[in-house]
Amino acid sequence: MLKELRPALVLTAALTIITGLAYPLAVTGVAQAVFPRQANGSLIERNGVVVGSALIGQAVTGPGYFQPRPSATTAADPADATKTVAAPYNASNSMGSNLGPTAKALVERVQADVERLKAENPGVPVPVELVTASASGLDPDLSPAAADFQIPRVAKARGMSEEALRRLVAATTAPRALGFLGEPTVNVLALNLALDQLALDKTAAGR
Amino acid sequence: MTVNGWIQILVFIALVVALARPLGGFMTRVFTGGRTPLSPLLDPVERALYRLAGVEADREQHWVSYAVSALLFSAVSLLLLYAMQRLQAVLPLNPQGMANVPADLAFNTAVSFTTNTNWQNYGGESTMGHLVQMTGLTVQNFLSAAVGIALAVALVRGFARSSARSIGNFWVDLTRCTLHVLVPLCLVYALFLVWQGVPQTLAGAVDATTLEGATQTIALGPVASQEAIKMLGTNGGGFFNANSAHPFENPNALTNLVQMLSIFALGAGLTNLFGRMVGDERQGWAILAAMGVLFVAGVSVAYWAEAQANPAFAALGVDGLAGNMEGKETRFGIAASALFATVTTAASCGAVNAMHDSFMPLGGMIPMVNMMLGEIIIGGVGAGLYGMLLFAIIALFIAGLMVGRTPEYLGKKLEGKEVKMTMLAVLCLPVMMLGWTAVAVVLDTGTASMANAGPHGFSEALYAYVSAAANNGSAFAGLSGNTLWYNLTLGVGMLVGRFFVIVPMLAIAGSLAAKTRAPASAGSFPTHDGLFVGLLVGVILIVGGLTFFPALALGPIVEHLAMTAGTLF
């Protein structure tokens, strides 16, 4: 037994150094040198301030922005650390709702969202992505249909033409990867940043 | 369902088949002591390791000694991982200042990662510091995978050899698998992931100021290096709580395809290694074909189920054309999510790119069925192949009974000992899966953890024990598993599911190796054609169906009927 213990101990230690230190540090070194932007989280800066990551959705509630999908992420309750409270798009605690298809809580949540959205854009069926929580709670994307649905609200809040917004959404839409993988997406943060830029350009042109 | 969705599924299957042969050939060279492109670099490292560890590389082991080595190695890994979690607050490389992990959770996690399960009762970004993630969890991702592959190769040697006393050297198999196969592939793979957007940094988190002026703390870390081995080693333990649904783990549909391929790559390659080592590649293709039949059936049902709109939503005026999007990411959509769920549970990976808990009842049943069958559809690296070969022994035993001949496989007579050992290995899984579920659903401490009421709550507990015993690690994640009860019972399920299969399996390997290989005669049952594939698939479905249908009827099937009838819980 003791003779068997030596390889067990030595190989555990040696392979830990190889796979647990050398391997991740080598990847980190090369990644930081060759792909520094991606390796550090694909962060987006505006006027020197980090406004978010291109890959991570963020909570936006104002009517003048395109809003992301519902998010089921939570955070510790500031009043009582043993409990959690809803904290949409908490990028340090990713999670989905984990509600099953026959859960009353799910259908009630969807119903409330549908009613709000129908009031905003009556007569149009609500795209399912806008009332369902994503798996990570950090989904950075909308489907083109879910972005289009919000155009009337954003146009009204910003005093812009729906046509201009439609063009913006189309320009921000990314096709399927390699033409057939996954689904077409609209990155919400990119769309909203473009929206802000457009408003800024307009003000500058008006001056 | 869309044409585009089916194209994704077909392209995926074609790529897996295309990868099987080159990877099989490569691994055959590695495990028969041949040279690989990296030998000039790695051979000195290997020799140094053996000298340091006191391993005589050219001395092979009897099956008992091989089993003792594997068990001892797993035990050392388990204790080390437990200790690291319990002490992480005082260890370095912990920029977020994570606290020591409580004893029951640390036990569960240590068992989970050393058994290649990667069931996670914790959220990675909120519990584990970088040191534990890198030198604890990532290391076990490599080593538990290497152990699995080594054991499968040992069983294959049992079939391939004639009148032999030994089935290989565990320490050599372990080392060569890690150095020649896993580390090089992961280096390339991890850098591909970083290129596509997966972070790889030793920094902890970044604060961003959102468009509306709020602060968003974005967790970062050495994600890519763990992601690569998490998939390639069919481990499945995510850096983040949301696993491969998290945009930092799986940023786009291309990485998603590569992740799915990497779950199946080595497992598919091992079927080819099996064929090559027993001297007839068709034997490997037959095994892969049986896996393929079961896989296509599973993915078809899952895709169909998820493409349906939730009837309760349709009544509210939701456009259900996109299917069941609760718990799914926009960039993947339905087809790539249903495919991923089928792949990750067919193999023993357990990574998820969508929340299985929110799948439609029948969509969520497919992952459960895949695991209940013992994860023999490609399966965990190594574990899938030896699991499937055990079923092949049962199938041939039954065929032998039908025609009244002593069954044989690849010229080896299958006698009482082999069949008994096979039954032992195959039976321990349902005992763990169904036994613990039965206890959990009658105890308050078991039901209190369920997030959903009604049959879906039952499914959550059933899924947990099925996943643990099958060493999968995916979850109906609504279940709050981080309780004393679930930490301990799931831990036991994982241990039994791994080691009570391994030991009988190695006994079979030893016993087969000692037999002579009889040449094929007109009376032997050919094991490379459609009849054998059909028999094998049939036996798997009958054994699985008889064992698990009652439990499935109480969970997903009754939930499906309730959903159709408009009942909510």
Side-chain angles (χ1 to χ4, degrees), chain A residues 1 3-12 14-21 23-32 35 37-43 46 49-53 55-63 65 69 89-107 109-111 114 118 124-129 131-143 176-186 188-189 192-193 196, chain B residues 4 7-8 11 45 49 51-55 61 65 68-69 72-73 76-77 80 125-126 134-135 138-139 142-143 171 174-175 178-179 183 186-187 190-191 194-202 206-212 216-220 224-226 228-229 240-242 245-248 251 253-254 257 310 312-313 316-320 322-323 325-334 353-355 357-361 452 456 460 477-478 559 563 567-569:
Chain A
M1 200 70 168
K3 210 177 129 259
E4 292 287 322
L5 205 53
R6 178 174 161 200
L9 290 173
V10 172
L11 286 179
T12 304
L15 294 177
T16 294
I17 292 168
I18 292 172
T19 61
L21 287 172
Y23 158 71
L25 293 179
V27 176
T28 309
V30 178
Q32 290 288 340
F35 310 110
R37 185 178 58 82
Q38 297 96 313
N40 293 305
S42 308
L43 300 175
R46 187 168 63 173
V49 179
V50 177
V51 293
S53 162
L55 296 176
I56 302 290
Q58 58 177 244
V60 176
T61 52
Y65 282 123
R69 297 176 61 190
Y89 289 89
N90 178 358
S92 35
N93 192 22
S94 54
M95 64 169 81
S97 73
N98 286 315
L99 292 170
T102 55
K104 224 177 248 163
L106 172 68
V107 177
R109 193 199 74 206
V110 170
Q111 186 168 16
V114 167
K118 273 192 170 163
V124 183
V126 178
V128 67
E129 292 94 338
V131 294
T132 47
S134 62
S136 62
L138 302 173
D139 195 337
D141 302 313
L142 288 172
S143 66
R176 291 190 167 101
L178 305 182
F180 72 101
L181 292 171
E183 298 296 333
T185 53
V186 184
V188 188
L189 182 56
N192 284 332
L193 284 170
D196 277 355
Chain B
N4 191 75
I7 292 177
Q8 294 187 53
V11 166
V45 180
L49 284 179
R51 208 165 33 244
L52 213 63
V55 172
Q61 293 169 299
S65 160
V68 168
S69 297
L72 211 61
F73 181 72
V76 168
S77 299
L80 184 72
E125 65 268 55
S126 56
M134 277 173 24
T135 63
T138 302
V139 168
F142 276 99
L143 301 186
W171 305 113
L174 173 82
T175 309
T178 309
L179 294 185
V183 172
C186 283
L187 272 173
L191 289 172
V194 178
W195 173 45
Q196 290 294 312
V198 179
Q200 179 72 24
T201 166
L202 297 181
V206 156
D207 277 345
T209 309
T210 68
L211 292 181
E212 294 186 334
Q216 186 185 34
T217 303
I218 301 174
L220 292 167
S225 54
Q226 183 172 330
I229 186 60
F240 298 107
N241 190 37
H246 195 297
F248 274 164
L254 178 64
L257 175 74
N310 188 328
F313 295 1
L316 298 170
V318 173
D319 180 4
M325 284 301 287
E326 179 72 17
K328 293 193 181 63
E329 299 281 300
T330 308
R331 60 194 180 284
F332 307 139
I334 298 295
N353 80 345
M355 292 300 134
D357 211 348
S358 297
F359 271 35
M360 299 298 260
N452 286 272
H456 200 82
E460 286 184 337
E559 190 190 6
M563 184 181 76
T567 313
L568 299 178
F569 298 94

